Structure formats: structure tokens, C-alpha cells
Amino acid sequence: NDGAVIKVDNLEQRNVMGSTNKYPRWAVAYKYPPEEKETVLFFAGGEFGLGRNTTYMVLKALIRMLIAVCIMTCVDIGYPLLNKYALETFFGENPDFSNRYLFYGLYALVAVSMGLSVWAFIRAAAQVEEQTTYDIRIEAFRHLQELSFSYYDTTQSGWIMARMTSDTRKLASIISWGIVDFLWGFMLMIGILTVTIVIDWRLALILIALIPIFFGVSVFFRKQILKQYRKVRKVNSSITAAYNESFMGANTTKTLVLEKDNAYEFSTV
């Protein structure tokens, strides 16, 4: 223990003295003088940083992820074309089943390729996310060691924990899965437009004319979503900070009977 609490040992006097919004007037907390000692931190490798091995692992996983996304995009484009061929050849006015075994093989190949590509990009994206999260937290921890004491005097420890845990995880998720979503969507749109030009160039011109409208609508909704997302992340950080502060100060809360006051403060977060 680093301190003690001195209380008035009389219930009637406690009722007379009352309490403030934060703490009772009949109890006083006293902290013992701190013991000052030197702390030595040891880290594998002797220093902070990403390092060659970490950077190579992330780069390799990123390349695997991009290749898998490219294969999955090609399969997404080829699957409707294969169905189109089946409808026109096997269910047209003059059905022809001479190439049915070739169709079976191509269909099986598409299914296997889709499954493998999805498994590969999920695995690679997860590796990128985990390694990026680790690297961000290492760099953030190093930065925290370099901050002055005044920063810790004015910043809640719960707020710092929220940045080091949920926020770093979300940032790493954006870096990994954001690349997947962007690349997959971009390549899919280019592939669909290319196939449309080959099949019916007039329909392709209509799609090209609608692209600016789609782009404007997407930019508008993106701004609105980003605005609301930032509000949600701010509330989430406040809740995480409140949780951390409550858990770390549970002994003090119980000692000074502040459960109701803390519950009211948490309800206003």
C-alpha cells in the first residue's frame, strides 16, 4: 500500500459533516512518501524499431495478400461469364452438351480458385494486421517513455490505454483490410467495365457516364460516415478510459464510498 485513509469513527458526526460531490468530509487520504529507485528496461535486440526481419515479414505478407486479391478479382469477373456460357450453350434454343466436361472442369477450377484466394488473402491480411499492431504499439510505447512528467499529470491513464489498445488495433485494421477493399473494388470495377465494353459498348458508355455521379455520391456519404465514425471512436475512447480509471481506482472508490458518484459520472460519458 502507498497510503492510508483516516476516518471519523462516529456515525453521527459523519452525518453532520456530510460529503461533497467527490468525496466525504469525514475521511482524509494520506499518501506515504514515495520511494525513488532506478528502473532498467531490457528489450530483445537492445533497441526499439521495426527491424529488417519485421519489415520483410510484413512486406512478404502484403505481397501475398495483393496476389490473392488479384486472383479473387479475376475469378469474380470470370464466374458470371462462365454462367453466361452455360445458359447460352446448355439451355439455349439448340442445346449443345459436347463441351460439358470442359465446363465442369472450368467450374471446379473457379470454385477451388475462389476458395484458395479467399483463404490466402484472409491469412495474409491477418498477418499484416497483427504485425502492424505490434509495431505501432512498440513505437507508441517508446514515444511514451520520452514524454515529460507534465504530460502524465494532465492526461488520464485510461485515455492512454485506449490509444494503446483499441485505437492501435483499429488503425492496423484500416491499413490491412483497407488495402484489400480498395484494391478488390478498383480491379473489379475496371474488369466489369472492360467486359461490358467487349459485350456491348453502348451499355459501357452509359456506365461510364454514370461514374461521376457514383463518385460524387460516394464522396458525400464517405464524409458523413467519417464524421460519425470519429464521434463513435471518441465516445469509445472515453468509455475505455472510464473503465480503466474505475478498475485502477477500485480500492479508493470502495474506501471513500464513491460508487454512486462514479456511476453517475460514467452515465454521462
Side-chain angles (χ1 to χ4, degrees), residues 126-245:
Q127 290 177 348
V128 173
E129 181 182 8
E130 292 299 326
Q131 193 61 52
T132 304
T133 302
Y134 174 78
D135 293 338
I136 293 175
R137 288 175 178 174
I138 286 292
E139 293 298 328
F141 184 78
R142 179 180 67 176
H143 182 65
L144 288 175
Q145 311 311 306
E146 300 172 352
L147 296 175
S148 61
F149 286 107
S150 60
Y151 174 80
Y152 294 98
D153 291 336
T154 57
T155 306
Q156 295 180 351
S157 59
W159 188 90
I160 299 175
M161 289 299 299
R163 293 294 180 269
M164 293 289 291
T165 53
S166 60
D167 289 357
T168 55
R169 169 66 68 176
K170 195 63 181 178
L171 180 59
S173 177
I174 292 173
I175 294 174
S176 57
W177 297 103
I179 295 176
V180 172
D181 292 337
F182 173 78
L183 184 63
W184 175 77
F186 178 77
M187 293 185 61
L188 187 62
M189 288 189 293
I190 296 298
I192 292 174
L193 186 60
T194 302
V195 173
T196 307
I197 292 174
V198 174
I199 296 176
D200 189 344
W201 62 270
R202 288 165 296 200
L203 180 60
L205 290 178
I206 296 175
L207 292 177
I208 293 174
L210 293 176
I211 287 178
I213 299 176
F214 293 151
F215 181 77
V217 172
S218 64
V219 169
F220 171 77
F221 281 105
R222 178 182 177 276
K223 291 182 179 180
Q224 298 300 318
I225 292 173
L226 181 62
K227 185 185 301 183
Q228 298 302 321
Y229 173 79
R230 287 175 175 172
K231 291 181 180 179
V232 172
R233 293 303 301 174
K234 184 176 181 180
V235 173
N236 179 74
S237 298
S238 301
I239 292 175
T240 306
Y243 272 135
N244 188 74
E245 292 290 337

Side-chain angles (χ1 to χ4, degrees), residues 114-132:
M114 174 63 75
L116 291 177
S117 61
V118 170
W119 173 82
F121 92 75
I122 290 178
R123 178 182 174 85
Q127 290 177 348
V128 173
E129 181 182 8
E130 292 299 326
Q131 193 61 52
T132 304

